[in-house]
Amino acid sequence: MRVDVATLFPDVCEAYLSASIIGRARKAGAIQVACHNIRDYTDDKHRRVDDKPYGGGTGMVMQAEPIYRCINEVTLREFKGKPPKLIYMSPQGKTLTQGLVKTLAKEPWLFMLCGHYEGVDNRVLEELPFTEISVGDYVVTGGELPALMLIDAVARLQEGVLPNAEAYSRDSHWQSGVLEHPLYTRPEAWRNRGVPTVLLSGHHENIEKWRESESLNTTYSKRPDLM
């Protein structure tokens, strides 16, 4: 999978995407990620890419042309077969779920736009076939954090990123929205709290039954709406 990110803060994105599991996956070639500074695609001598909103109001709006140029030039330069799926991280988009992550993880190429300030000129969203995606019913300063969340979620489903499919197939929300069972590690006793005896038994069938049962109990107690 290839992922491109159009942003005003490529260094912020690179810092996260170069670390831990995603960073190692990039180095190994399991996923390709490139971050592009939208300011590189403006003719303004001060590299401004925003202006006051028509109709008045507070804040600034990102201009359409630098965004369009960034996506268009990168796409034309890197185009090989199927064009990328364009995604705009927006609180007005469809909510990101594990089901949507699974679908997007099958795409060979994602191109993500990170808005900032008050948002982007709506005309670029009309000109290009964007899919708007939200990470929840709240607003953050920019689209970088939501974009990184989506990239992380789809990247870990790519072959070679995690050790095997079991590393993610037991996660919360993977199977019909059910949450993951409780987890434990050493030491066996901590502040007078022990590890469930069944996990120490070595009996794999009983352990699997316990995990399934606790997964349902956890879902019922923490997120009954998923049941």
Side-chain angles (χ1 to χ4, degrees), residues 26-110:
R26 292 176 71 186
K27 289 181 179 179
I31 184 172
Q32 299 177 4
V33 183
C35 299
H36 310 279
N37 192 335
I38 298 172
R39 296 186 190 278
D40 293 338
Y41 298 86
T42 179
D43 292 329
D44 186 272
K45 64 180 180 180
H46 301 297
R47 304 184 78 211
R48 285 187 57 180
V49 295
D50 63 312
D51 212 326
K52 296 178 181 179
Y54 280 117
T58 60
M60 305 291 278
V61 177
M62 290 177 63
Q63 297 169 311
E65 185 61 18
I67 294 171
Y68 179 82
R69 286 185 184 178
C70 176
I71 294 174
N72 195 46
E73 290 185 24
V74 173
T75 301
L76 289 177
R77 185 171 66 242
E78 304 294 336
F79 182 79
K80 296 177 181 178
K82 185 180 179 181
K85 183 175 183 62
L86 301 181
I87 295 174
Y88 174 48
M89 305 307 301
S90 163
Q92 298 183 10
K94 64 179 67 174
T95 303
L96 183 64
T97 63
Q98 188 63 42
L100 181 54
V101 167
K102 291 180 184 180
T103 298
L104 294 175
K106 298 175 183 177
E107 293 284 343
W109 188 3
L110 302 178

Side-chain angles (χ1 to χ4, degrees), residues 9-224:
F9 303 95
D11 291 344
V12 171
C13 297
E14 281 289 354
Y16 180 84
L17 296 169
S18 298
S20 189
I21 293 174
I22 306 302
R24 292 195 296 271
R26 292 176 71 186
K27 289 181 179 179
I31 184 172
Q32 299 177 4
V33 183
C35 299
H36 310 279
N37 192 335
I38 298 172
R39 296 186 190 278
D40 293 338
Y41 298 86
T42 179
D43 292 329
D44 186 272
K45 64 180 180 180
H46 301 297
R47 304 184 78 211
R48 285 187 57 180
V49 295
D50 63 312
D51 212 326
K52 296 178 181 179
Y54 280 117
T58 60
M60 305 291 278
V61 177
M62 290 177 63
Q63 297 169 311
E65 185 61 18
I67 294 171
Y68 179 82
R69 286 185 184 178
C70 176
I71 294 174
N72 195 46
E73 290 185 24
V74 173
T75 301
L76 289 177
R77 185 171 66 242
E78 304 294 336
F79 182 79
K80 296 177 181 178
K82 185 180 179 181
K85 183 175 183 62
L86 301 181
I87 295 174
Y88 174 48
M89 305 307 301
S90 163
Q92 298 183 10
K94 64 179 67 174
T95 303
L96 183 64
T97 63
Q98 188 63 42
L100 181 54
V101 167
K102 291 180 184 180
T103 298
L104 294 175
K106 298 175 183 177
E107 293 284 343
W109 188 3
L110 302 178
F111 204 129
M112 307 181 65
L113 169 61
C114 302
H116 214 73
Y117 313 121
E118 291 301 305
V120 306
D121 188 316
N122 197 69
R123 289 171 292 184
V124 75
L125 302 179
E126 297 171 349
E127 181 69 20
L128 298 172
F130 279 102
T131 295
E132 295 188 44
I133 295 179
S134 168
V135 294
D137 295 334
Y138 52 89
V139 178
V140 293
T141 303
E144 285 73 22
L145 287 175
L148 292 173
M149 293 168 64
L150 177 52
I151 294 170
D152 190 295
V154 298
R156 62 198 309 276
L157 302 187
Q158 303 303 310
E159 185 176 355
V161 175
L162 297 181
N164 50 56
E166 187 176 354
Y168 57 75
S169 61
R170 290 183 177 274
D171 287 343
S172 295
H173 304 292
W174 183 260
Q175 295 290 348
S176 303
V178 177
L179 303 182
E180 188 174 17
H181 55 77
L183 302 170
Y184 301 88
T185 188
R186 295 190 175 103
E188 186 176 325
W190 179 77
R191 293 183 178 269
N192 296 321
R193 296 176 182 272
V195 176
T197 306
V198 64
L199 298 180
L200 306 174
S201 68
H203 195 295
H204 298 298
E205 184 177 346
N206 288 346
I207 291 174
E208 189 60 32
K209 290 180 179 179
W210 178 88
R211 286 174 171 167
E212 292 177 358
S213 174
E214 287 302 307
S215 179
L216 292 173
N217 289 337
T218 299
T219 304
Y220 183 76
S221 63
K222 292 182 178 181
R223 290 289 306 277

